[in-house]
Amino acid sequence: MLQPQRPIRPLPDVLISQIAAGEVIERPASALRELLDNAIDSGASALTVRLEQGGLGSVQVEDDGCGIPAEELPLALLRHATSKIADLDELHHAAHLGFRGEALAAMAAVAEIEIISRRAGADGARIHASAGQVAAVQPTAAQQGTRVTLRQLFFNLPARRKFLKSPQTEYAWCADVFKRTAIAHPQIALRLWHDGQLKLQFERDPSPHGLDRLAAVLGEAFSAHALPVSAQIGPLAVRGLICKPTAARARADVQHIIVNNRWVRDRTVAHGVRAAYADVLHGALQPQYALLLDLPSELVDVNVHPAKSEVRFRDSSAVHQAVRHAVEQVLARAGGEASSSHPSAPPAAWEQPPSALPTTAALAFGVARPSPSPIPWDALSRAYAPLATADAAPLQAQDSAAPRPYAQATDLAAAQPDDFPLGFALAQLLGIYILAQNRHGLVIVDMHAAHERIVYERLKAAEQADAPVAVQPLLIPAAFAASDAEMGAAEDHADALRSLGVELDRAGPSSLVVRATPTLLAHADPIRLARGLLADLISQGTSSRLQERRNALLSSMACHGAVRANRQLTLAEMNGLLRDMERTERADQCNHGRPTWRQIGLADLDALFLRGR
Ligand SMILES: Nc1ncnc2c1ncn2[C@@H]1O[C@H](COP(=O)(O)OP(=O)(O)O)[C@@H](O)[C@H]1O
Ligand SMILES: [Mg+2]
């Protein structure tokens, strides 16, 4: 029931603060973020967080920063009072994390707050407020710096307190905030205590790039699969760690974006990363990454969100492209780690490229053991042949239009063993895997996944060369019965299909006929290829951007064109595939982000047989 209209009156100040608090302080974790931001703005070099009951009991942040003069303590609790900006111009160049002068006032309105602070060369002072009632400043003994303690959040607002979760959950959110701060500020030492126990501790990271801190915060599981990013693109510097596609996970919970030292949620950057992974990560898998972006403050607006968790880029498409490019470069290089064409692996400590596996497996054993018999590299290296992109058994001479990126056999004879990181084929296992030996031991290759990747990269290369797709008419056109949806898609997307090298015509009210397929896929089943493409076109509709769609279509074509399980390969064909993999960017993962090959070192094999113990 609405009350009869009452006269208009200004809201009482505490009520204004309580309403405003809703935007800034939602739960212990958001209070913690504000307190951490203040501590960092104060120039702290070390800070300590103490939580009780996940922050529901209390949240305390102590820093060794500049401190607050005793006479300014009441102002610190006043709404819209700040020492950080004085005019609009400074707002646009905000170098501090805070600038709204809202956080402490909001906390004072919805909780109990105590600030103890001391400036260098001055005496310490304490102020206390509860539910908007501010007590007088008192002198007290204190370390230099500031300690803010927040107790009983929302004790005076039961309706809001009800929305808080269990101490465990609230603690987890607080720990996330703590970790984000640790990532964004590697030069600051941080400690987190919970209910009297030291939970997390990060020493200062003295490295100039701050990536050691990143690795420390994100943990062993992440850093073991991480690749360093470091790029300067115009005014934008991008650095950080990204995971190999094989380490992608179902949840998007390890995705950190830090812009000018602020941890933010940003769709532009997230999408740029996603686009870079598009080629190596299909479906629902999420990449893990932590990227730190630095750009001149006039190119980014930080004042778009009360909780300051979003920013707006002046030129978001430039940022998108730069991020995408930086990540793509690293992923492409990572794919080439198995390749002789990219011998220089990044030097960072967390990087262990497959080619850097121990060269002398015997070193791993305490006992002397016979060295493995020498491998006849020369003879082996001659025994290779290109793998036709076909299920057809006889090995065909490659079409001259098809790219032949691999070396000729004559060059290979002179080459060193190191030029063939994937080694030489021994056999095919169950029609699925190729077994090969290299100097480290056994290499197992998923035949279909690897070939699919190679075909895909070739299709893309051919496409990027911008030449019309080489098309091969079918000797006998292949007709098939089609659903209404397939009929419609064939008509709607006739141009797209033709540009991909697939010629598809109506052969009746409910049948289609394939007349030509791309030369690169000359041996693929034309009907399966056409149906696969139609299914993709139907499920994707027309909304997504053409390039992304094209890559998805090329990828689906590669899948249909790649050698299928149970096809017998000759040793020469298998070696051809290994050489192709070494020459292909991103050959380490198939188009779906699964690994295409694995190394099982001699040490692993010895361990299996308990040798040398
Ligand atoms: N840990 C701290 N060290 C030094 N000064 C602080 C600290 N926390 C708060 N202050 C002072 O109190 C003011 C108000 O803080 P706050 O309400 O968070 O607003 P803002 O950070 O937007 O300025 C700050 O501008 C700063 O001068
Ligand atoms: Mg603040």
Side-chain angles (χ1 to χ4, degrees), residues 236-261:
L236 176 70
V238 184
R239 67 209 151 88
L241 296 177
I242 61 173
C243 77
K244 294 177 184 165
T246 44
R249 32 205 268 165
R251 290 181 52 202
D253 53 348
V254 185
Q255 298 187 342
H256 297 281
I257 299 168
I258 289 98
V259 177
N260 288 358
N261 296 326

Side-chain angles (χ1 to χ4, degrees), residues 325-343:
H325 179 76
V327 174
E328 251 171 13
Q329 293 282 299
V330 173
L331 290 173
R333 245 185 287 136
E337 269 163 25
S339 152
S340 55
S341 55
H342 301 283

Side-chain angles (χ1 to χ4, degrees), residues 49 73 143 157 196 269 296 343 368 381 440-441 445 461 485 559 563 569 577 585:
V49 176
L73 278 175
Q143 305 271 332
L157 299 172
V269 175
S381 63
H440 309 304
V445 176
C559 180
V563 59
L569 299 185
L577 182 66
E585 282 195 354

Side-chain angles (χ1 to χ4, degrees), residues 393-416:
L395 198 59
Q396 312 236 344
Q398 288 249 318
D399 189 277
S400 58
R404 295 195 57 168
Y406 36 78
Q408 300 297 314
T410 43
D411 309 332
L412 287 164
Q416 295 299 305

